Amino acid sequence: MDLLRFITAGSVDDGKSTLIGRLLYDSKSILADQLEAIERASKSRDEGEIDLALLTDGLRSEREQGITIDVAYRYFQTPQRKFIIVDAPGHIQYTRNMVTGASNCQLAIVLVDARHGVVEQTRRHSLIASLLGIPHIVVAVNKMDLVDYSQDVFSNICIQYAELAQKLSLSKDVTYIPLSALNGDNVVDKSVHMPWYDGKTLLSHLEDVAIDHDENLTHARFPVQYVIRPQTTDLHDYRGYAGKITSGIFRKGDAVTVLPSGETSTVEAIELAEAHYDEAFAPMSVILHLADDVDVSRGNLIVKSDRQPIVSQNIEAMLCWMDTKALKAGSKYTLQHGTFRTRCVVREIVYQLNINTYEEATDVDSLKLNDIAKVILKTAQPVSFDPYTQNRVNGGAILIDETSNVTVGALMLRGEVE
Amino acid sequence: MKLDYLDQLESEAIHIMREVAGQFERPALLFSGGKDSITLVHLARKAFRPGKFPFPLVHIDTGHNFQEALDFRDWLAESLGERLVVRYVEDTIRAKGLKEPTGRNASRNALQTFTLLDTIEEFEFDACIGGARRDEEKARAKERVFSVRDEFGSWDPKRQRPELWNTYNGKIHKGENVRVFPISNWTELDVWNYIKRENIALPPIYFAHERELILRDGKLLATAKGVIQAEEGDQIVTRKVRFRTVGDISCTAAVESEAATLDAAIAEIQATRISERGETRIDDQVSEAAMEDRKKGGYF
């Protein structure tokens, strides 16, 4: 069985929590005691019907305010597939949470209120999906019950969105589904109210969407996490490099290069505990052995020599700023790229992207929480990366504040600059 | 080329454990002898063999354990040749003059936190790996894989670090520590299926056996001298049961079961309509935010 991680993007009133609740409820993924608990809670708020949104709002302050304030993860499975739902709040002040949630997802459900069509927040969520390189998009046109299940309304929204998708060079795989999360139309069960819609229900699409080719198998990348050296009498010369293959395939005998040093060797063995492999591929965690005694330590990247990444100290990147303390051009941070850390300075803010209008503002010298910008970085030591658009894991990095130690920025690395 | 979901979860968990080894000076693996921490130990074997674990196994012993779990704990540490550190809640109670909760359904759950925080201080642990899963409880659904706790061990859901891709930021100040949850993304059923696939040994209480129990408010509690006794309204019964979770004997309920094998236990979990904690943990049912409040206080 395979695994699909998807994010649901929608603002406070789009019915996102209700949609997740409905998905879990109609696929019978809610257990009896959990259901009783939300029935009790719904009653105590005097709302009459069961409020499926209560399933997802886990924290005290969320229940108090009736909104989602942080990313939550939920799990369910059908006979076809296992699912991890990344439930991220969509409100503008939580842009950083959506970026966080989107970083690991293969699919995004963008909720659109049928009454309002493509609005500012749709543009915002789609921009983030595009920046974070999510391969599959579902446009869930919700609240169809409030527009008399009108086919015209749905078609117009599809046309509007297709324009947007083109502008953003969003994933080629965009699917449109008209639904009502509140009533359960086309979520798990086919709606009787929309006979004109002959596509799949949301769940059935989630079960079928082809994700086999999402993994990057062309760029073999292995960030070294830890060197295993038992140093016992029987394993005196054992030296294994522990890590996870983040993309691509490694085979015994492959010529490899250790970055950033550029030393070369070949793969002598691939193992994990008692298992030995002739080849291993992303996202397997393994131990690599090299034929030669080269210098390898945590933070190094082992790659297949025939397709090497960019190794540079001058990098152009898209940045989502995640801290309440503003970023000022010229400030220094720690950059963490996989297992590698180095200091860096934000040399220049090239432009700030208006996440609602997509306009690029130049002459910006500082960034606030949730701002997105194109920046130029200079790092203390070279970073071995691929452009994010080609390799999501080896193209992503974070910025860490050197005094608070907090993760303050998400970087989508783009390329080398002069 | 596609990994099965259990392989994906395993690979992710191994990666997280190795990040702990790579980023921290003095980590620990919290080990109770329950199925989730047994799974962690198995994953640690995969992550670090043929080397030694880069951390000791640490058990915060409430003194209210199932003997079967303690025996298993000692056997496992011994057979792996790994270091086991045990610290006792009993000692903390005496040293600090703490008041034990009394009354119906009293447990040492809250007191455990004191011993845990003292142990972290004693050994200067900077990271504690734990077997918590996000599917257990709605407050846990929000928890990061690397969850930073302040010097009081406190979890602040509003101050969590963003966690992107599979990049984990474990940088902390002295005195702070990180709780790390490698099986965050596993469900109860995933754990069982993995235990079966990997042929992992478990303490016998996870399988059906006859036992003397206290029937209280519809829940079956194991009898244990000096820890839990029958009170008015309780009934002493003998039933064939198994335990779905192994927590403190004072607040972990058994389920009636005929499942004597792994296959049968998995079939039973697949068919159940009641969640793991809902069915067995009395301490979570105190209020709507019981777990969240305990975590803010430093509970793991």
Side-chain angles (χ1 to χ4, degrees):
Chain A
M1 188 153 49
D2 61 7
L3 179 63
L4 175 73
R5 293 178 204 234
F6 67 91
I7 185 169
T8 49
S11 280
V12 186
D13 300 319
D14 285 348
K16 182 171 61 75
S17 298
T18 311
L19 178 66
I20 295 172
R22 175 62 66 188
L23 205 50
L24 297 171
Y25 182 76
D26 285 0
S27 66
K28 303 192 171 43
S29 308
I30 299 173
L31 297 171
D33 59 316
Q34 296 164 331
L35 195 59
E36 267 168 40
I38 65 162
E39 273 171 349
R40 264 200 312 276
S42 304
K43 248 178 228 152
S44 73
R45 292 172 181 205
D46 200 24
E47 283 166 1
E49 290 195 28
I50 297 184
D51 181 0
L52 289 172
L54 290 176
L55 269 173
T56 58
D57 289 335
L59 299 173
R60 199 187 276 281
S61 50
E62 291 177 319
R63 287 190 295 274
E64 282 162 9
Q65 298 171 47
I67 55 160
T68 315
I69 58 167
D70 197 0
V71 186
Y73 298 83
R74 298 178 207 284
Y75 305 83
F76 75 108
Q77 71 182 89
T78 65
Q80 280 75 27
R81 200 166 255 178
K82 278 193 72 79
F83 299 97
I84 299 179
I85 308 179
V86 179
D87 175 13
H91 196 266
I92 189 158
Q93 69 195 100
Y94 301 116
T95 296
R96 64 169 172 175
N97 294 9
M98 189 182 159
V99 169
T100 298
S103 69
N104 277 320
C105 285
Q106 295 138 287
L107 180 144
I109 298 177
V110 177
L111 268 161
V112 173
D113 186 323
R115 294 170 302 172
H116 309 311
V118 170
V119 294
E120 214 171 76
Q121 71 212 12
T122 322
R123 299 168 64 82
R124 188 161 69 234
H125 299 152
S126 304
L127 173 72
I128 294 170
S130 162
L131 271 175
L132 273 293
I134 298 178
H136 311 277
I137 305 289
V138 175
V139 180
V141 181
N142 190 24
K143 305 195 183 182
M144 287 299 291
D145 51 316
L146 299 181
V147 294
D148 295 327
Y149 297 105
S150 156
Q151 182 175 11
D152 285 347
V153 169
F154 177 69
S155 305
N156 282 333
I157 292 173
C158 295
I159 294 165
Q160 276 179 33
Y161 195 87
E163 258 175 56
L164 180 67
Q166 199 178 14
K167 198 181 276 178
L168 284 172
S169 344
L170 204 63
S171 154
K172 287 186 192 70
D173 180 26
V174 183
T175 303
Y176 301 88
I177 303 175
L179 51 83
S180 161
L182 190 68
N183 299 333
D185 291 285
N186 287 337
V187 178
V188 170
D189 302 313
K190 213 149 168 57
S191 170
V192 294
H193 299 109
M194 292 175 270
W196 47 264
Y197 174 72
D198 56 7
K200 286 176 179 160
T201 64
L202 177 62
L203 180 65
S204 148
H205 177 72
L206 294 173
E207 287 177 325
D208 294 345
V209 61
I211 53 174
D212 290 0
H213 301 293
D214 292 352
E215 200 77 58
N216 175 333
L217 292 174
T218 50
H219 303 90
R221 307 284 181 255
F222 184 85
V224 176
Q225 289 187 278
Y226 189 70
V227 181
I228 295 181
R229 289 176 63 209
Q231 292 178 296
T232 52
T233 37
D234 51 328
L235 293 166
H236 190 73
D237 296 321
Y238 185 100
R239 191 178 164 85
Y241 306 116
K244 179 162 143 178
I245 301 173
T246 49
S247 58
I249 307 163
F250 285 91
R251 296 189 175 88
K252 253 162 80 169
D254 276 347
V256 293
T257 302
V258 181
L259 296 172
S261 74
E263 285 192 81
T264 57
S265 185
T266 51
V267 176
E268 189 178 62
I270 307 169
E271 63 172 332
L272 185 73
E274 292 82 16
H276 293 264
Y277 304 98
D278 289 333
E279 64 170 25
F281 53 91
M284 286 169 75
S285 281
V286 292
I287 294 172
L288 282 190
H289 292 265
L290 301 187
D292 308 278
D293 213 1
V294 288
D295 182 14
V296 182
S297 56
R298 177 176 165 85
N300 289 160
L301 187 71
I302 299 176
V303 305
K304 265 176 74 169
S305 302
D306 58 356
R307 289 192 94 148
Q308 300 204 18
I310 300 166
V311 182
S312 175
Q313 287 175 261
N314 294 292
I315 304 165
E316 180 185 271
M318 293 305 292
L319 165 69
C320 173
W321 188 248
M322 300 181 148
D323 200 33
T324 44
K325 200 170 84 190
L327 170 139
K328 288 198 170 54
S331 304
K332 292 191 177 71
Y333 300 94
T334 297
L335 180 144
Q336 184 174 340
H337 172 250
T339 62
F340 174 66
R341 278 189 194 145
T342 180
R343 294 190 74 201
C344 76
V345 57
V346 180
R347 251 174 49 190
E348 186 191 337
I349 298 168
V350 182
Y351 61 78
Q352 186 194 330
L353 193 58
N354 182 313
I355 59 176
N356 297 319
T357 62
Y358 309 157
E359 280 161 17
E360 296 168 3
T362 49
D363 296 328
V364 174
D365 58 6
S366 76
L367 296 175
K368 300 184 306 298
L369 175 68
N370 296 315
D371 282 351
I372 289 173
K374 182 162 155 181
V375 295
I376 308 241
L377 307 167
K378 160 105 187 171
T379 57
Q381 291 164 289
V383 182
S384 313
F385 69 97
D386 293 291
Y388 188 82
T389 46
Q390 289 171 26
N391 191 327
R392 287 176 80 189
V393 181
N394 202 43
I398 59 172
L399 287 182
I400 300 171
D401 185 287
E402 295 187 317
T403 53
S404 70
N405 289 331
V406 171
T407 303
V408 289
L411 291 165
M412 279 66 69
L413 308 177
R414 289 209 157 167
E416 188 176 17
V417 287
E418 291 288 302
Chain B
M1 262 179 235
K2 187 93 197 147
L3 285 188
D4 173 69
Y5 80 96
L6 273 184
D7 290 315
Q8 287 190 47
L9 292 175
E10 178 193 68
S11 176
E12 179 180 76
I14 291 171
H15 174 254
I16 292 163
M17 285 210 182
R18 288 167 169 175
E19 279 305 285
V20 172
Q23 291 196 33
F24 295 92
E25 299 282 322
R26 277 176 294 276
L29 189 150
L30 300 177
F31 178 64
S32 66
K35 67 177 192 314
D36 296 314
S37 60
I38 291 170
T39 299
L40 288 184
V41 170
H42 183 81
L43 289 162
R45 271 191 62 246
K46 290 217 169 184
F48 302 110
R49 287 289 185 257
K52 285 278 229 185
F53 293 0
F55 38 67
L57 309 179
V58 174
H59 184 214
I60 304 303
D61 187 334
T62 57
H64 290 177
N65 301 291
F66 288 86
Q67 189 56 43
E68 295 92 328
L70 293 183
D71 294 345
F72 188 90
R73 171 196 78 184
D74 296 340
W75 168 81
L76 187 64
E78 166 92 39
S79 68
L80 287 169
E82 296 292 345
R83 186 156 80 105
L84 174 70
V85 171
V86 183
R87 286 295 177 269
Y88 300 90
V89 172
E90 194 75 49
D91 293 343
T92 316
I93 293 173
R94 239 179 283 132
K96 288 194 170 15
L98 298 177
K99 199 169 149 34
E100 280 226 48
T102 50
R104 206 172 169 81
N105 296 331
S107 91
R108 281 183 167 177
N109 220 321
L111 299 182
Q112 206 177 336
T113 302
F114 292 96
T115 316
L116 173 62
L117 297 181
D118 286 352
T119 310
I120 289 172
E121 243 181 80
E122 180 189 346
F123 292 90
E124 296 182 61
F125 290 136
D126 47 6
C128 296
I129 300 171
R133 307 187 322 263
R134 287 172 177 151
D135 81 320
E136 283 179 79
E137 213 273 345
K138 53 186 184 261
R140 283 237 157 109
K142 303 253 161 183
E143 179 112 36
R144 297 284 190 264
V145 172
F146 270 38
S147 181
V148 179
R149 305 299 176 95
D150 65 17
E151 57 186 314
F152 305 103
S154 181
W155 181 68
D156 183 350
K158 288 188 177 167
R159 286 190 55 228
Q160 299 201 89
R161 293 178 179 174
E163 203 156 75
L164 297 116
W165 302 289
N166 55 8
T167 307
Y168 300 103
N169 170 11
K171 277 179 81 117
I172 50 171
H173 293 111
K174 203 164 166 50
E176 294 176 336
N177 69 87
V178 178
R179 309 290 167 85
V180 180
F181 305 111
I183 59 168
S184 282
N185 285 325
W186 300 40
T187 63
E188 181 191 18
L189 194 57
D190 296 335
V191 171
W192 280 101
N193 282 326
Y194 185 72
I195 285 170
K196 185 186 163 200
R197 192 188 83 170
E198 300 286 308
N199 203 13
I200 299 170
L202 290 180
I205 43 173
Y206 281 111
F207 303 102
H209 57 286
E210 286 221 344
R211 192 179 194 112
E212 185 187 84
L213 299 132
I214 298 169
L215 178 59
R216 173 182 297 175
D217 303 332
K219 289 215 160 32
L220 291 164
L221 292 163
T223 55
K225 276 204 184 69
V227 175
I228 173 167
Q229 53 216 10
E231 293 166 13
E232 213 182 303
D234 293 348
Q235 246 181 294
I236 298 285
V237 296
T238 299
R239 298 274 167 82
K240 196 163 192 185
V241 294
R242 57 177 213 89
F243 289 85
R244 204 167 152 193
T245 66
V246 176
D248 261 24
I249 206 160
S250 60
C251 59
T252 306
V255 292
E256 286 197 67
S257 170
E258 292 292 327
T261 62
L262 261 179
D263 282 325
I266 291 172
E268 211 172 81
I269 291 156
Q270 268 170 330
T272 187
R273 297 295 303 139
I274 304 181
S275 73
E276 182 181 77
R277 285 196 167 257
E279 186 162 42
T280 64
R281 289 299 176 90
I282 290 160
D283 46 329
D284 280 346
Q285 290 157 23
V286 180
S287 82
E288 209 179 348
M291 170 78 89
E292 181 182 347
D293 292 343
R294 283 211 309 276
K295 272 150 57 88
K296 283 181 178 160
Y299 182 77
F300 114 93

